[in-house]
Structure formats: structure tokens, C-alpha cells
């Protein structure tokens, strides 16, 4: 069984993330969406909240599993029996960074492959940071995130 991991902070999950996840789920037998636990990053949502939002957003994808991890992605992948990393690319600037990460991952474990997917053009500008910024100014993010995520953003930002 071909198991792939799509990792990230997903703070919050956007339609761009979901595009990559759903397309990856059509290519691989199983896709594990792994939320990185990064205590150095000042996240809006807790890891538990992000995991739950991803579970809701991917509920209709039967071969997608949501999890979280801390430490090296390569160690997590070996623990889960995964051999492929899925990464979305929005622009050339993403490629330079992602190539560096893929190269070090390959050095750490030469059995791991990185599968790059170009983001759908309609999401090429989209990032979690942009979504949070737009939501902070109470502008609509309805075209950027699923309805449940939009509501979670409103609740979270109202309590800031």
C-alpha cells in the first residue's frame, strides 16, 4: 500500500491545502495529513483544534487520516510506514525552499521520495497567514476556507 504524508502547520486549513490533500488522495492509497507540533511557532489554533478542523474538512475523503507529530518528519514517516511526502507548490519561491527541504530529507533517508504538486491556479496566492490577516480585519474568508473553519476563525479572533 502506497502511504503518503502531507505535513504542515495548517493554521488554519485552507482550500489550497484541501486541494493538494484531495488530489494526493486520488494518487496514493492512503494520505496521512500530519500537523506539525512546533512550540516555537505562535499559532492561532492549538494542535488539537487544527487536527479537529482537518478531520471535519476531510470527512468525505475515506483514505485520508489526520494525525499530529513532533520532531523530524522522516522519523514520523518511518514510524507510520510512509515512503512519500506530498508538498504543494504555489510559486517559484516555494520551490527553492521545498527543494532544500526535500534534499535534506533525502539525505536523512534515501528511501523517502518527495512528490510536488502545483497548486490549482485559483489558490496560488492563498496561505494560512493571508487568511488570518483577512479574518482579523473582519473581511470575508468564505472563498478561502470551508464554512466551519470560517466560523472557528471568527470565534477565535473575537476572543483575542
Amino acid at each position: 500500500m502506497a502511504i503518503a504524508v502531507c505535513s504542515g502547520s495548517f493554521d488554519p486549513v485552507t482550500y489550497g491545502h484541501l486541494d493538494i490533500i484531495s488530489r494526493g488522495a486520488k494518487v496514493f492509497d492512503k494520505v496521512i495529513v500530519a500537523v506539525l507540533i512546533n512550540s516555537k511557532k505562535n499559532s492561532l489554533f492549538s494542535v488539537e483544534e487544527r487536527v479537529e478542523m482537518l478531520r471535519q474538512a476531510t470527512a468525505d475523503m475515506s483514505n485520508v487520516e489526520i494525525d499530529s507529530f513532533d520532531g523530524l518528519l522522516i522519523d514520523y514517516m518511518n514510524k507510520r510506514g510512509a515512503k512519500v511526502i506530498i508538498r504543494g507548490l504555489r510559486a517559484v519561491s516555494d520551490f527553492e525552499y521545498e527543494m532544500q527541504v526535500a534534499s535534506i530529507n533525502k539525505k536523512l533517508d534515501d528511501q523517502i521520495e518527495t512528490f510536488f504538486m502545483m497548486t490549482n491556479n485559483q489558490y496560488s496566492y492563498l496561505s494560512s497567514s493571508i487568511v488570518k490577516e483577512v479574518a482579523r480585519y473582519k473581511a470575508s474568508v468564505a472563498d478561502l476556507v470551508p464554512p466551519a473553519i470560517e466560523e472557528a476563525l471568527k470565534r477565535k479572533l473575537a476572543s483575542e
Side-chain angles (χ1 to χ4, degrees):
M1 178 184 332
I3 302 172
V5 173
C6 183
S7 67
S9 58
F10 305 103
D11 187 39
V13 61
T14 69
Y15 281 135
H17 294 127
L18 294 172
D19 174 56
I20 296 296
I21 293 165
S22 67
R23 289 169 46 214
K26 291 175 186 166
V27 174
F28 298 98
D29 297 318
K30 181 177 186 175
V31 173
I32 302 169
V33 180
V35 178
L36 173 62
I37 299 168
N38 186 346
S39 58
K40 293 179 181 150
K41 200 168 185 180
N42 190 13
S43 301
L44 180 62
F45 292 98
S46 70
V47 171
E48 296 77 19
E49 289 170 320
R50 288 180 271 153
V51 165
E52 184 53 35
M53 287 189 287
L54 277 159
R55 283 192 178 124
Q56 289 175 15
T58 61
D60 63 336
M61 300 178 207
S62 62
N63 63 332
V64 172
E65 176 187 332
I66 311 302
D67 197 7
S68 62
F69 76 102
D70 130 7
L72 287 175
L73 177 58
I74 295 299
D75 292 339
Y76 174 77
M77 292 187 64
N78 286 323
K79 184 175 119 185
R80 297 301 310 267
K83 294 294 179 198
V84 178
I85 300 167
I86 299 173
R87 300 299 297 171
L89 297 174
R90 293 172 297 197
V92 173
S93 56
D94 284 348
F95 179 75
E96 189 171 337
Y97 170 76
E98 293 294 347
M99 189 178 79
Q100 289 175 336
V101 174
S103 295
I104 192 65
N105 285 336
K106 193 70 166 168
K107 182 171 176 42
L108 293 171
D109 186 336
D110 66 358
Q111 299 300 303
I112 301 292
E113 295 294 340
T114 301
F115 188 85
F116 294 109
M117 297 180 82
M118 294 306 300
T119 302
N120 186 314
N121 284 342
Q122 74 187 75
Y123 305 123
S124 63
Y125 65 91
L126 188 53
S127 70
S128 294
S129 299
I130 287 173
V131 168
K132 289 184 284 194
E133 189 67 19
V134 169
R136 276 194 173 91
Y137 288 101
K138 298 185 179 19
S140 174
V141 293
D143 292 345
L144 311 177
V145 297
I149 309 308
E150 181 179 25
E151 289 307 312
L153 274 163
K154 286 177 184 175
R155 284 191 306 275
K156 183 66 79 168
L157 293 171
S159 67
E160 269 194 337

